Amino acid sequence: MKRILAAALLAYGAQAQCLDIKNPYRFTCRQGDCVNGEGTVFDGYLSISMSGAWRNGETIPGVTYKLSSARVPGARMEQVYGADGLLASGDMPRPKAVGTKMAMFRGKYVGIEHPFLKVKIPVPSTAVYDTGFGVEYRGRFEFLPAKSGIHTTVSSGYFIFFGEKVDTVDGETETGLYVSGETLLGMPVGFMKAEPSYLIEMQKRYQRDMQIAQSDFAEIESDQKWRSALAVVGQVAFAMASGGTSLSSSMKNVAGEMVMGMVGDMLNKDPKSVDVRASAQRAAKAATEDQAMSDALAMAINEGISTSKKSQ
Amino acid sequence: MRFTLLAVLLSTLHLPASASYIYPSSPDPVNQKHIDLFRANIAKYKSPQFLAFPASTMAMPCEVPPEKLYPLIGLGMALKETKAEIDKQGAKLMRKMGMDMESDHTYSDIRIEPLRAQCVNGKLDGEAEFLVSHSAKMMTKTRVDMLGEATDMTSTMSTKNVSRYQLQLKEGELAGESIVVQLVDAVNTVEYSSPAVKKMMASAPKLPPSKSLMVLMNNSQGHMTTFNEVPSVKVTKGLFMAGVDTGVALQTTLTIPVAPGYVRSLVFMDKDLLGSSGYKNGKPHGEHILYSDNIYKTLGQKLDRQVGMENVKEVVINGKDMLETRNCFINGEQVKVATCPAS
């Protein structure tokens, strides 16, 4: 039986950052025991397999994991994770590409907060970026998160590099500052030579994005609360419909009152301040003092909240 | 060489019996003359007789070796040495750009008939006109992840080309004005090495065969204008989902010399500017600006929520909502700078 993995993200990103990721649409256990033992996990997003020892479906700090790719069978990659569940050292492949080459970072990684995704992610610090085509960027890396991840839920950002760009085929070396365009999780990084003054432009854009993001966060939070509220409404309606003709019309009226009371709360207050469960319970209490009806409504509220949490 | 490169330009659309094109205005009078000339002669260029081989043809007025003749008539890539050099440069560029693709371009069934030509001292000289036909096959191969496994994908474009070259020559080299009219019939196929992927893609829609006309006019001082009939695609907001309106448009590219070794290329779709790019000694240099319809606004989506929009901004041009993308190049390399050099 396939097990769902909690961790085993091969590159930084989104819900990723390690540990509590149980995404059956992304990870599958292909061989062995991927929960408490030796096993091989397949990451369907990156199309990479990862073999090693697992504990509670998570990576074990200090253990070396071996990675492989069907598209580039000759690529030998290894990773070591830290106690925080983030990639600490080794290879960070960029497999979302076509062709027979694998681009990757090799080196050490640090954890940073992605302020738009509100998660911690590993990014290269002192490392080599190997394009897979004989061009290597050897030196120091920084990462500037990008805002689009708020809506795509996929981590993205800009890489900044200072050091040597070495063309191992032509034997050419250049030292300087390079930056990338916005790069999504798992995609190869395209570096372009940059002037230091360009970093000021990047910083200004980042600050603008942070300001815009505040209203995006408010919108997302409001969306989530509405989803919860509507899930409660749906559950109450379902409960009423399941009761059939045995339900008295007064019970149906009570349910209607409760629902409108809760929706009124959502419409008239700042969504940030609304606690959907408390609002629904208040509305239910105001709608009826009958214990049986109250119990039925309380059950519907709990089911609705639970359903909406599972879908988020 | 420019004819060699242009010989592989393609657009995809059936040629209507008559087309009513919308023309741009050129900021340069030489390119404007090209536009006026095209407008006056398009019916002739599209007539079947213009690209038909006559029943009887003249012999070449003197012996012209392929390495001298082929580059004049868009067949430079059919020369082994030229092809090897271009393939080598192409592979180097792909490597530096991090693109992994095998490709090959082969020529066959080459037929060259002079309609008018004369030689002076054993070299082509004066006005000359040639009809040229050939078949070509361009194959690219890469490896992709599909259905959780790696599969090799081979794309092949097979073309039948007929071209008419009206040239002015001096001692065997191009001099003065020239006009090329080319008709290309193209068929595209894609093969997959994985049987599972092959089966899945068997029911996917295929690109239909296409027939396209390209006209190129240039002088030897760097002014060049090309005309391509292309499909026009407009995204519209439907009641339930986005829609796509298709039609026919004329894509006009003006190459205008600005300074010694430096040209600016302006691309128009009908009369709307699509892009403006600078080139120094044949390499991208200076600001490259692209314009496209603001589909995000049409679909009610916000630009700042899309990925990779750091160089894109929303503009309004002639009352139309457009997206403007700006990138900077210095001697062929894309760079990130606060102010892009003018030339």
Side-chain angles (χ1 to χ4, degrees):
Chain A
M1 183 179 168
K2 287 181 182 172
R3 298 299 184 100
I4 295 164
L5 270 193
L9 252 203
L10 302 171
Y12 62 86
Q15 309 104 323
Q17 67 172 341
C18 76
L19 308 181
D20 288 324
I21 309 305
K22 293 174 175 63
N23 186 349
Y25 299 108
R26 180 165 174 179
F27 299 106
T28 47
C29 187
R30 285 244 170 115
Q31 202 177 6
D33 185 346
C34 303
V35 180
N36 285 301
E38 293 277 338
T40 299
V41 167
F42 180 71
D43 179 340
Y45 175 77
L46 294 177
S47 288
I48 292 274
S49 292
M50 192 170 171
S51 301
W54 307 96
R55 187 163 56 214
N56 300 324
E58 298 168 359
T59 52
I60 300 171
V63 165
T64 299
Y65 294 86
K66 294 196 186 305
L67 281 59
S68 61
S69 157
R71 181 171 62 79
V72 188
R76 295 280 171 260
M77 299 166 282
E78 291 183 347
Q79 293 184 331
V80 177
Y81 285 75
D84 56 3
L86 294 180
L87 180 62
S89 65
D91 303 318
M92 179 191 276
R94 314 296 298 183
K96 292 195 77 66
V98 299
T100 57
K101 309 281 193 289
M102 179 70 76
M104 71 179 84
F105 286 99
R106 290 195 307 267
K108 296 196 184 311
Y109 306 86
V110 295
I112 66 161
E113 281 293 326
H114 194 301
F116 302 107
L117 290 172
K118 298 193 173 175
V119 295
K120 206 170 178 190
I121 59 169
V123 297
S125 59
T126 305
V128 174
Y129 180 66
D130 182 352
T131 63
F133 292 86
V135 176
E136 294 182 0
Y137 294 83
R138 302 172 182 170
R140 278 278 289 121
F141 294 86
E142 291 289 340
F143 181 77
L144 193 65
K147 186 177 98 52
S148 66
I150 293 178
H151 302 282
T152 64
T153 70
V154 178
S155 167
S156 72
Y158 308 88
F159 289 92
I160 302 160
F161 165 77
F162 187 85
E164 284 187 331
K165 175 187 170 187
V166 181
D167 187 328
T168 61
V169 172
D170 292 345
E172 294 165 358
T173 300
E174 277 183 79
T175 301
L177 177 70
Y178 293 81
V179 303
S180 75
E182 185 178 349
T183 308
L184 278 173
L185 168 68
M187 300 282 287
V189 182
F191 281 109
M192 292 164 276
K193 204 179 271 185
E195 281 176 356
S197 55
Y198 185 74
L199 296 179
I200 302 170
E201 299 297 318
M202 290 180 81
Q203 181 65 13
K204 281 184 193 168
R205 183 171 59 233
Y206 177 75
Q207 282 164 352
R208 263 198 316 270
D209 283 352
M210 284 295 286
Q211 281 182 333
I212 296 170
Q214 301 315 307
S215 65
D216 284 359
F217 288 137
E219 191 180 315
I220 288 170
E221 196 171 343
S222 166
D223 258 359
Q224 284 168 348
K225 295 223 168 141
W226 269 108
R227 271 186 237 270
S228 290
L230 292 171
V232 169
V233 167
Q235 203 58 39
V236 168
F238 175 72
M240 296 301 108
S242 307
T245 53
S246 64
L247 280 177
S248 66
S249 61
S250 61
M251 194 164 197
K252 288 178 188 168
N253 287 341
V254 161
E257 285 289 338
M258 182 234 132
V259 163
M260 292 316 295
M262 190 186 68
V263 170
D265 239 10
M266 288 289 299
L267 287 173
N268 295 317
K269 286 187 181 163
D270 177 1
K272 249 186 180 164
S273 67
V274 172
D275 178 330
V276 173
R277 185 187 296 278
S279 169
Q281 287 168 344
R282 256 195 321 272
K285 195 173 175 187
T288 181
E289 287 177 358
D290 181 286
Q291 192 56 48
M293 281 194 213
S294 285
D295 289 345
L297 288 174
M299 197 183 309
I301 291 167
N302 288 335
E303 292 265 0
I305 302 271
S306 169
T307 302
S308 85
K309 274 198 175 137
K310 278 183 199 162
S311 67
Q312 280 173 21
Chain B
M1 185 60 76
R2 58 195 151 189
F3 293 145
T4 300
L5 293 171
L6 284 161
V8 298
L9 267 184
L10 282 176
S11 57
T12 59
L13 196 68
H14 294 289
L15 292 176
S18 66
S20 179
Y21 297 131
I22 301 172
Y23 296 91
S25 292
S26 166
D28 188 288
V30 174
N31 298 87
Q32 184 61 48
K33 273 193 189 151
H34 292 161
I35 294 171
D36 297 338
L37 191 63
F38 174 85
R39 205 168 183 161
N41 288 284
I42 182 60
K44 178 175 76 173
Y45 297 150
K46 280 186 165 181
S47 67
Q49 303 88 316
F50 192 72
L51 291 173
F53 282 88
S56 64
T57 54
M58 64 177 274
M60 282 293 279
C62 58
E63 179 104 17
V64 185
E67 54 269 24
K68 291 288 182 193
L69 179 62
Y70 280 21
L72 300 176
I73 52 174
L75 291 175
M77 281 288 280
L79 294 169
K80 205 169 155 187
E81 294 77 14
T82 306
K83 181 178 182 305
E85 182 57 31
I86 289 182
D87 283 349
K88 187 177 157 192
Q89 295 304 324
K92 185 172 180 176
L93 184 64
M94 298 262 273
R95 191 173 67 76
K96 287 191 185 292
M97 288 172 65
M99 289 173 65
D100 182 16
M101 210 173 277
E102 275 178 50
S103 66
D104 196 26
H105 196 164
T106 54
Y107 285 72
S108 60
D109 306 322
I110 294 175
R111 181 181 174 187
I112 303 165
E113 300 289 354
L115 301 175
R116 283 186 294 152
Q118 53 278 320
C119 290
V120 173
N121 296 327
K123 292 182 182 172
L124 288 167
D125 206 285
E127 288 190 359
E129 204 160 348
F130 295 91
L131 266 175
V132 181
S133 72
H134 71 274
S135 297
K137 204 170 259 199
M138 184 186 280
M139 182 273 297
T140 56
K141 186 174 173 180
T142 190
R143 184 171 292 169
V144 297
D145 280 311
M146 281 176 94
L147 300 180
E149 61 178 89
T151 186
D152 289 329
M153 184 174 95
T154 306
S155 305
T156 306
M157 184 163 68
S158 304
T159 62
K160 287 194 192 315
N161 306 261
V162 180
S163 311
R164 187 159 174 158
Y165 287 80
Q166 296 173 335
L167 309 173
Q168 290 182 27
L169 300 160
K170 191 172 171 64
E171 294 177 11
E173 306 289 336
L174 286 172
E177 299 277 337
S178 58
I179 298 175
V180 182
V181 179
Q182 183 177 74
L183 186 64
V184 181
D185 279 288
V187 173
N188 289 279
T189 57
V190 183
E191 293 287 331
Y192 300 92
S193 62
S194 155
V197 172
K198 201 169 179 170
K199 192 176 171 186
M200 179 185 80
M201 295 304 289
S203 54
K206 311 280 183 288
L207 265 180
S210 66
K211 193 189 272 288
S212 59
L213 185 78
M214 187 275 297
V215 176
L216 178 154
M217 298 179 179
N218 69 358
N219 64 15
S220 52
Q221 277 85 53
H223 286 89
M224 185 161 72
T225 310
T226 61
F227 304 90
N228 273 294
E229 193 175 61
V230 297
S232 73
V233 177
K234 199 163 184 61
V235 174
T236 56
K237 191 167 186 182
L239 190 58
F240 299 110
M241 55 193 270
V244 174
D245 287 346
T246 56
V248 170
L250 183 71
Q251 185 170 299
T252 308
T253 305
L254 312 178
T255 302
I256 303 169
V258 172
Y262 192 79
V263 300
R264 186 141 280 274
S265 171
L266 303 176
V267 183
F268 292 87
M269 189 70 79
D270 293 336
K271 60 174 173 50
D272 298 325
L273 183 65
L274 271 194
S276 167
S277 309
Y279 295 87
K280 191 171 182 177
N281 302 322
K283 293 182 186 172
H285 188 86
E287 199 158 43
H288 282 216
I289 310 170
L290 286 175
Y291 294 99
S292 57
D293 286 337
N294 190 345
I295 56 164
Y296 301 113
K297 190 147 189 184
T298 303
L299 297 174
Q301 294 173 8
K302 290 187 180 177
L303 184 69
D304 66 22
R305 295 187 180 185
Q306 315 306 320
V307 178
M309 296 287 125
E310 63 266 19
N311 297 338
V312 183
K313 70 176 188 184
E314 294 176 291
V315 296
V316 178
I317 299 177
N318 298 328
K320 268 192 202 178
D321 289 311
M322 306 290 282
L323 295 175
E324 178 188 272
T325 305
R326 288 177 181 257
N327 286 299
C328 183
F329 291 82
I330 295 179
N331 293 323
E333 206 178 325
Q334 190 173 356
V335 296
K336 292 292 191 183
V337 295
T339 308
C340 196
S343 64

